[in-house]
Amino acid sequence: MYPLFSPNYVQTQFLFLTGKGGVGKTSTACATAVALADSGKKVLLISTDPASNLQDVFGIELTSRPKAVPAVENLFASNIDPESSAKAYRESVVGPYRGVFPEAVVATMEEQLSGACTVEIAAFDEFTGFLTNSEIVNLYDHIIFDTAPTGHTLRLLQLPTAWNGFLEESTHGASCLGPLSGLVDKKELYSKAVSALSNPDETTLILVSRPDGSSLLEADRASKELKGIGIKNQMLIINGLLQQHNEDDEVSSAFYHRQRDALTLMPENLKVTIKYSLPYVSYSLTGVENLRNLFRPYEISPTESSLENQSINLPGLKDVINDFSANKTKLIFTMGKGGVGKTTVASAIAVGLVEKGHRVHLTTTDPAAHLDYQFQNEQLNQNLTISCVNPKVEVEKYKADVIAKSSKDLDEAGLAYLVEDLESPCTEEIAVFQAFAEVVAKSENEIVVIDTAPTGHTLLLLDASRSYSREIERSTGEVPENAKKLLPQIRNPKETAVVIVTLAEATPVLEASRLQDDLRRASIIPQWWVINQSLFGTNTNDPILKGKAMAEKEWIQEVNENKAEKCAIIPWFHEEKVGYEMLKDYIN
């Protein structure tokens, strides 16, 4: 198996960590920073992650100004809040147009600048100074960034048309066009920052992944995307690898072998990337001593090995299904970050409702092969139908439509910007939402369960585009009739329920909370949170897994007491729940 990662393997001044939420970017960045500082290097650690818990890790208040970490000589930390940066940036761009343009146009401009792309660009704007300011750069041996910009953002920064004040000409419809329009005076500075990122003598990109398929696919996507724009000095850290297991313990054995199976199926691009691992540990990676322990031989303490799990009396998935059945809910969305088990939860909800006598249509954005696998190509109950929306197909259709309607008004450079702008996450959400709207429109006398949902930002953007189309006749931001009908239905709690799926860990809970806040902006209140794959309460005797189970308790209580209207919990199962009959077990 892969050798344990050591910070001594890092030779460049700049380190960027990237990976999907919950893989351990922050803990890996913090432990690396502490180890480098302990070795005598002067280190600056910077987080631009909205869900960052950097302050909790070190137990100190942090701002965008570097601050010495008291317990570690030579270590300084900074916590940039990209949400605040994005808010300030958004107002600087939109403010001059208030009272000049119609309110509907201003609303569209604001919502275009409220998406993930704008937050990321605002974060990039903040840390550009740390990459290009020679006074700062010369102070430190290493500067570690606890997140990395996506290839999409960096490609936008490299397109000349991005700097030509596009916002006032933005008429092609709902997307993220315009996020760079307020940064014209920083073109040269950004170019210098992008150059530093792609210089292998200056920058190392550290891909962080869990040993599971979803995390590895995301790492592979990021790796290819960033290689495509010249950031090729990459390494992969497999975080949370269970080093040993007990074959007589069902949970321990299944946990261990699932990880190894996922690594065997690793994408080819990652197989040729330099790889290291970090151990699966039971303790929380907060506090300097725990961070130091991550790079030391791991031994189980007597306290950890004797921990006894305690029960938390929360409903199960069966209670969620009973609630939907009793309330005659017609439309159910499962939402959450990748890797939390949305598809399995959505499939189990559909099966549970069928078992209660309802006609159900289950639809997903996962490839058709995944649902085929989930149901083992078996003969389905006559009351259950399934369909799949292929995001790639829907996105290409949507992009082709937008480009066809807009290209006649754009020059070559403008068209290049539009094409790249349509690579944003918002484009996929909008295209997929429109496809789902068609499915819902065709479904009568049945419950529709949808495995994914648009964010509040996308729903508001679609709403704003409708108003924008009425105000600007030349706009091509047309919203299909089915989507127009579905928007108010989603906001009706008597017809629609949103289920947020999460894991009992810091980052998935924080990201799910941000997702809930985003939905609330669009007047949508999730009815249920489901904590999936919980080790808490399992009967494992593996000391590491038992210790991890106890660490989950804090986040289960946080969700139940402070986040969710109603909360349910699903235990970690030692075998995969595939097939109609096994999904029934998942419910009970």
Side-chain angles (χ1 to χ4, degrees):
M1 201 40 64
Y2 315 118
L4 290 175
F5 174 69
S6 167
N8 296 329
Y9 299 150
V10 175
Q11 303 299 321
T12 58
Q13 183 177 22
F14 302 125
L15 282 71
F16 278 83
L17 285 86
T18 189
K20 68 195 293 289
V23 296
K25 289 192 301 292
T26 298
S27 57
T28 302
C30 291
T32 301
V34 169
L36 288 170
D38 284 346
S39 71
K41 304 289 187 181
K42 192 172 182 181
V43 181
L44 174 60
L45 172 62
I46 303 165
S47 176
T48 56
D49 187 343
S52 172
N53 58 341
L54 203 61
Q55 299 182 124
D56 298 328
V57 172
F58 290 115
I60 57 174
E61 289 297 318
L62 294 170
T63 66
S64 58
R65 290 174 174 265
K67 182 177 183 178
V69 177
V72 186
E73 189 176 354
N74 297 321
L75 178 58
F76 298 79
S78 170
N79 201 8
I80 294 169
D81 181 0
E83 299 280 3
S84 297
S85 302
K87 183 178 180 181
Y89 166 63
R90 185 162 53 246
E91 186 54 35
S92 73
V93 175
V94 177
Y97 298 100
R98 296 187 193 281
V100 178
F101 285 179
E103 287 185 14
V105 177
V106 173
T108 299
M109 292 164 65
E110 285 187 309
E111 199 51 53
Q112 282 181 328
L113 292 166
S114 295
C117 298
T118 302
V119 173
E120 190 177 309
I121 287 169
F124 188 80
D125 183 43
E126 289 277 1
F127 69 59
T128 293
F130 293 105
L131 279 170
T132 59
N133 187 323
S134 58
E135 290 184 11
I136 295 175
V137 170
N138 292 336
L139 281 175
Y140 302 98
D141 297 302
H142 296 286
I143 300 179
I144 302 174
F145 296 91
D146 172 26
T147 194
T150 64
H152 167 60
T153 291
L154 294 175
R155 288 194 304 269
L156 277 179
L157 294 169
Q158 292 173 318
L159 287 170
T161 308
W163 307 97
N164 293 342
F166 252 87
L167 194 59
E168 50 269 53
E169 287 91 30
S170 171
T171 61
H172 66 75
S175 82
C176 291
L177 192 65
L180 299 178
S181 58
L183 302 174
V184 177
D185 58 336
K186 296 190 177 182
K187 180 180 179 181
E188 186 176 341
L189 192 65
Y190 278 25
S191 178
K192 187 177 177 181
V194 173
S195 177
L197 276 168
S198 57
N199 185 338
D201 296 325
E202 294 185 61
T203 299
T204 301
L205 180 76
I206 299 178
L207 304 155
V208 184
S209 176
R210 295 284 187 184
D212 65 64
S214 176
S215 297
L216 288 165
L217 286 174
E218 175 63 20
D220 182 56
R221 184 202 60 76
S223 171
K224 289 177 178 176
E225 192 175 49
L226 293 166
K227 278 182 180 177
I229 54 172
I231 303 176
K232 297 179 180 178
N233 186 19
Q234 302 181 0
M235 65 173 62
L236 171 65
I237 294 178
I238 304 296
N239 187 34
L241 191 61
L242 195 64
Q243 303 295 304
Q244 54 192 5
H245 68 293
N246 179 359
E247 281 287 359
D248 296 327
D249 185 315
E250 282 189 331
V251 175
S252 176
S253 181
F255 199 96
Y256 178 89
H257 289 295
R258 274 200 206 176
Q259 290 191 341
R260 265 57 186 182
D261 291 345
L263 294 175
T264 301
L265 298 173
M266 180 186 297
E268 290 300 319
N269 170 61
L270 295 183
K271 287 182 178 178
V272 299
T273 303
I274 296 171
K275 291 176 286 296
Y276 302 103
S277 65
L278 286 172
Y280 190 94
V281 297
S282 61
Y283 55 82
S284 173
L285 284 167
T286 56
V288 171
E289 285 310 307
N290 279 351
L291 293 171
R292 285 180 173 136
N293 286 336
L294 190 59
F295 297 123
R296 297 171 180 166
Y298 183 48
E299 296 181 1
I300 306 299
S301 71
T303 303
E304 290 172 344
S305 62
S306 64
L307 284 173
E308 292 297 330
N309 288 342
Q310 303 168 22
S311 62
I312 292 181
N313 189 24
L314 284 179
L317 193 58
K318 185 175 184 179
D319 299 278
V320 178
I321 293 164
N322 288 341
D323 183 48
F324 294 153
S325 178
N327 290 318
K328 300 181 179 178
T329 306
K330 297 296 294 178
L331 183 61
I332 300 164
F333 286 100
T334 59
M335 297 190 67
K337 295 296 180 181
V340 297
K342 293 191 304 295
T343 301
T344 305
V345 171
S347 300
I349 289 173
V351 167
L353 288 167
V354 168
E355 287 295 302
K356 294 188 77 65
H358 299 281
R359 288 177 52 84
V360 180
H361 182 79
L362 169 66
T363 184
T364 179
T365 54
D366 269 340
H370 187 86
L371 268 189
D372 287 344
Y373 175 75
Q374 184 73 62
F375 287 96
Q376 297 290 288
N377 292 304
E378 61 192 356
Q379 183 69 39
L380 297 176
N381 184 296
Q382 63 180 4
N383 285 332
L384 176 63
T385 55
I386 61 175
S387 65
C388 295
V389 172
N390 188 321
K392 289 184 179 179
V393 172
E394 298 303 329
V395 167
E396 289 308 312
K397 282 167 51 181
Y398 177 82
K399 289 195 294 189
D401 185 50
V402 170
I403 291 169
K405 292 175 180 176
S406 305
S407 56
K408 64 180 181 296
D409 299 319
L410 298 172
D411 58 18
E412 185 177 347
L415 185 60
Y417 187 94
L418 174 57
V419 169
E420 180 54 49
D421 179 61
L422 288 169
E423 294 297 320
S424 80
C426 294
T427 299
E428 180 171 318
E429 279 196 17
I430 290 165
V432 168
F433 178 72
Q434 292 185 1
F436 279 149
E438 293 178 14
V439 172
V440 174
K442 293 175 184 176
S443 301
E444 296 180 3
N445 304 316
E446 62 184 353
I447 298 170
V448 179
V449 180
I450 298 180
D451 168 30
T452 198
T455 63
H457 165 62
T458 296
L459 295 174
L460 289 169
L461 195 57
L462 285 164
D463 259 355
S465 296
R466 293 165 63 195
S467 301
Y468 191 44
S469 299
R470 290 193 291 268
E471 292 284 351
I472 309 290
E473 289 185 5
R474 62 192 177 92
S475 171
T476 57
E478 297 171 2
V479 179
E481 200 61 37
N482 288 336
K484 291 178 184 178
K485 291 178 180 177
L486 186 54
L487 283 166
Q489 184 179 357
I490 289 176
R491 292 190 172 106
N492 184 351
K494 293 182 179 179
E495 291 187 67
T496 302
V498 171
V499 178
I500 290 182
V501 185
T502 189
L503 305 178
E505 299 173 14
T507 300
V509 169
L510 292 170
E511 290 190 341
S513 180
R514 284 176 25 231
L515 179 62
Q516 177 165 264
D517 291 343
D518 192 32
L519 288 169
R520 283 175 171 168
R521 287 198 309 121
S523 302
I524 297 167
I525 310 298
Q527 281 92 330
W528 284 90
W529 280 49
V530 172
I531 299 170
N532 196 24
Q533 301 173 34
S534 174
L535 285 166
F536 194 91
T538 62
N539 60 356
T540 179
N541 290 313
D542 185 297
I544 296 178
L545 297 182
K546 287 185 76 172
K548 189 66 173 180
M550 292 306 298
E552 288 183 356
K553 185 176 180 180
E554 169 190 356
W555 295 105
I556 295 171
Q557 291 175 329
E558 173 67 14
V559 170
N560 186 42
E561 296 170 9
N562 300 321
K563 303 295 183 185
E565 292 280 322
K566 290 181 282 190
C567 178
I569 191 166
I570 301 172
W572 195 93
F573 287 101
H574 65 271
E575 58 183 347
E576 235 182 329
K577 297 300 181 184
V578 293
Y580 189 96
E581 292 302 317
M582 291 195 75
L583 282 167
K584 285 163 61 176
D585 292 340
Y586 198 73
I587 299 164
N588 297 315

